[in-house]
Amino acid sequence: MKGCIIHKPDSVDLAEEVLKFLAKIGVSAEILQDWSLAKDFDFIVSVGGDGTILRLLQFIDGKTPPIFGINTGKVGLLTHCDANFREHLLKAIEEFETEEFMRIECVVDGERLLALNEIAILTAKPARMIGVRIFIDGIEIEDIRCDGMLISTPIGSTAYALSTGGPIIDPYIESILIVPVAPFKLGWKPWVVSANRKIKAEVDSEAFVVADGHRSVLADGDSEIVVRKSKSYAVFFKMENRIGRIVEKLKLIR
């Protein structure tokens, strides 16, 4: 068994500590500079915040090796522990229990994006709204002017979608959340639909389609934006109480 360690720039010292700890317990590992190679290892330790894990997942299509997150960021909803990692990491490797979470994929004019949290459709012109029409399995459910639209996974319901007034969804329920950003409409409500639905969006002007805040594609009024559940799942080491972890971390942003 061989693991790899990836880290954000200001967490190199802690990454070195993780490497030494793994060697001490007899586990081979290396610190990766080229994150695209992470898919070839038996497990991944991410040292950073949620953004580090989301960036890592942009390099891995298909099923990921199990990820263990050590939080050095601000919130760390996707991570397993903070800097005092030894007991948690040892238990994870010894038991090697994993859990999978759905990702969604978006195709924009033939280009494919993959996201664990959300696909964001955002106006390309700051301070100017865009018109967005949303279709579920061919049926129009919304026609709205707004700063953008989020199409989110349950894991992503505690990320960008939360700040727009969307509901918190149990991460173990496979579903898709649709919620507008700054809608110019009274009485709007978010939609939560089956993960097996096909979601199509149309915009009336230029918009950026962004996957987890990293990769983006420019769309316009002629573009076809289609979002579906992906066959590529994100795999994490099992968290003893993920709901409890979410509650604990959300208290930090109240």
Side-chain angles (χ1 to χ4, degrees), residues 20-253:
K20 291 175 183 176
F21 175 74
L22 290 174
K24 184 177 179 180
I25 63 174
V27 177
S28 175
E30 65 179 90
I31 296 175
L32 283 188
Q33 303 303 320
D34 183 353
W35 293 12
S36 66
L37 302 177
K39 66 182 184 303
D40 299 323
F41 289 79
D42 296 305
F43 68 92
I44 303 167
V45 179
S46 171
V47 184
D50 293 335
T52 307
I53 292 175
L54 295 175
R55 180 175 169 235
L56 165 69
L57 288 171
Q58 290 298 314
F59 290 92
I60 306 176
D61 204 343
K63 192 173 180 179
T64 67
I67 299 167
F68 183 92
I70 300 173
N71 184 42
T72 61
K74 293 181 179 178
V75 181
L77 283 160
L78 298 174
T79 61
H80 295 75
C81 63
D82 297 321
N84 188 13
F85 65 87
R86 289 166 179 80
E87 180 182 344
H88 301 282
L89 182 55
L90 176 62
K91 182 179 179 182
I93 290 173
E94 287 182 339
E95 296 180 356
F96 220 87
E97 293 184 48
T98 64
E99 53 189 2
E100 300 181 350
F101 295 99
M102 64 170 279
R103 292 197 275 179
I104 52 178
E105 61 183 41
C106 177
V107 177
V108 184
D109 298 333
E111 188 162 350
R112 179 172 171 268
L113 303 172
L114 191 60
L116 174 63
N117 271 357
E118 77 279 314
I119 296 293
I121 303 169
L122 304 171
T123 176
K125 298 177 181 178
R128 293 191 63 180
M129 292 186 292
I130 53 172
V132 184
R133 298 172 70 199
I134 297 290
F135 300 82
I136 296 177
D137 290 344
I139 299 172
E140 182 177 319
I141 65 161
E142 191 61 272
D143 185 351
I144 191 170
R145 293 196 63 75
C146 52
D147 285 356
M149 188 71 66
L150 304 180
I151 303 171
S152 166
T153 66
I155 282 280
S157 71
T158 56
Y160 194 174
L162 181 66
S163 70
T164 66
I168 297 172
I169 301 175
D170 185 330
Y172 297 100
I173 296 174
E174 291 205 343
S175 58
I176 296 176
L177 167 63
I178 305 167
V179 58
V181 179
F184 188 65
K185 181 178 182 179
L186 294 175
W188 65 269
K189 296 292 182 183
W191 281 77
V192 180
V193 301
S194 166
N196 296 316
R197 301 291 189 186
K198 174 186 173 182
I199 299 166
K200 188 177 81 167
E202 295 179 355
V203 295
D204 67 356
S205 58
E206 286 191 340
F208 288 109
V209 183
V210 188
D212 284 344
H214 290 282
R215 289 192 61 211
S216 65
V217 175
L218 184 63
D220 58 28
D222 295 322
S223 298
E224 182 174 71
I225 305 167
V226 176
V227 180
R228 291 186 175 93
K229 172 185 171 182
S230 175
K231 294 179 181 178
S232 301
Y233 277 69
V235 183
F236 289 81
F237 281 100
K238 190 171 184 180
M239 196 176 289
E240 189 171 335
N241 186 352
R242 188 169 290 274
I243 295 293
R245 177 79 172 172
I246 290 172
V247 171
E248 170 194 339
K249 290 297 180 178
L250 287 181
K251 287 179 180 177
L252 299 176
I253 57 175

